[in-house]
């Protein structure tokens, strides 16, 4: 049975729960979008079942940001993904993309319960857009200039962490 994740924003206005088969926060993205919306270190997203999302409080305080891709270039465009956040405190809550309607990606930083399992090794992606001042986490890690070979689901299955 998938794990029930309970989350909230920093100020407590927005609260939600969702079921996840991929609840280990193993992958840190340090791309410019994740650093600018999630903080200097980047963002860690989990996987969840979109249809299981239950907003228990504060629905009217949820805003959506669609990131600008290739900003300030002739190729500038708007991302299809939607980063949902609290309009009161700006805390990032989850990412959703209509191209993958069954998936939802809660930000690990928004999860209150249960305590998330620390991975034995972190996977760091998008080093090609990380400035020098951003420090990577301590401990064992695999790093990739772009993306690693595994999807979130694939990583969980490979490491025996997928929850049916």
């Amino acid at each position: 049975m998938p794990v029930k994740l309970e989350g909230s924003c920093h100020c407590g206005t927005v609260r939600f729960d969702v079921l996840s088969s991929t609840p280990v926060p193993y992958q840190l993205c340090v791309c410019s979008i994740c650093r600018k919306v999630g903080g200097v270190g980047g963002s860690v997203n989990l996987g969840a079942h979109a249809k299981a999302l239950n907003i228990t409080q504060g629905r009217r305080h949820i805003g959506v940001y669609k990131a600008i891709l290739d900003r300030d270039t002739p190729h500038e465009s708007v991302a299809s993904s939607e980063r949902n956040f609290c309009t009161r405190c700006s805390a990032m809550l989850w990412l959703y993309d209509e191209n993958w309607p069954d998936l939802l990606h809660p930000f690990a930083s928004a999860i209150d319960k249960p305590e998330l399992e620390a991975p034995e090794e972190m996977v760091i992606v998008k080093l090609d857009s990380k400035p020098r001042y951003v420090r990577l986490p301590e401990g064992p890690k695999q790093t990739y200039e772009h993306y690693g070979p595994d999807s979130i689901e694939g990583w969980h299955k490979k490491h025996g962490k997928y929850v049916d």
Side-chain angles (χ1 to χ4, degrees):
M1 173 108 180
V3 175
K4 181 180 180 181
L5 303 176
E6 296 178 32
S8 65
C9 62
H10 183 261
C11 70
T13 298
V14 178
R15 296 178 190 270
F16 66 95
D17 59 64
V18 66
L19 297 176
S20 174
S21 293
T22 54
V24 178
Y26 78 95
Q27 182 172 263
L28 172 66
C29 181
V30 294
C31 78
S32 64
I33 300 167
C34 287
R35 285 185 293 100
K36 289 181 182 250
V37 302
V40 69
S43 296
V44 176
N45 287 335
L46 306 169
H49 304 284
K51 291 177 184 164
L53 176 64
N54 177 31
I55 300 165
T56 58
Q57 180 180 304
R59 182 181 296 273
R60 69 186 183 99
H61 294 285
I62 297 172
V64 172
Y65 172 66
K66 288 189 164 210
I68 305 302
L69 305 174
D70 299 317
R71 190 180 81 186
D72 301 329
T73 73
H75 306 289
E76 183 172 298
S77 63
V78 177
S80 59
S81 57
E82 301 174 347
R83 286 163 174 79
N84 291 255
F85 64 95
C86 172
T87 59
R88 283 195 156 165
C89 69
S90 301
M92 299 308 294
L93 302 167
W94 62 81
L95 180 140
Y96 174 78
D97 192 320
E98 63 187 12
N99 292 310
W100 296 278
D102 294 335
L103 300 176
L104 185 81
H105 296 288
F107 286 82
S109 57
I111 302 304
D112 301 316
K113 295 178 187 174
E115 184 171 338
L116 299 173
E117 177 184 339
E120 290 182 23
E121 178 178 73
M122 289 295 294
V123 172
I124 317 296
V125 298
K126 295 299 288 172
L127 288 176
D128 58 353
S129 67
K130 179 190 83 60
R132 289 189 310 240
Y133 71 85
V134 173
R135 299 291 180 237
L136 299 181
E138 295 179 2
K141 61 185 134 302
Q142 293 179 30
T143 59
Y144 297 94
E145 287 299 303
H146 199 56
Y147 292 104
D150 299 316
S151 66
I152 293 175
E153 182 176 321
W155 183 93
H156 279 76
K157 288 180 175 177
K158 182 193 285 186
H159 291 86
K161 303 292 184 182
Y162 188 83
V163 185
D164 281 321

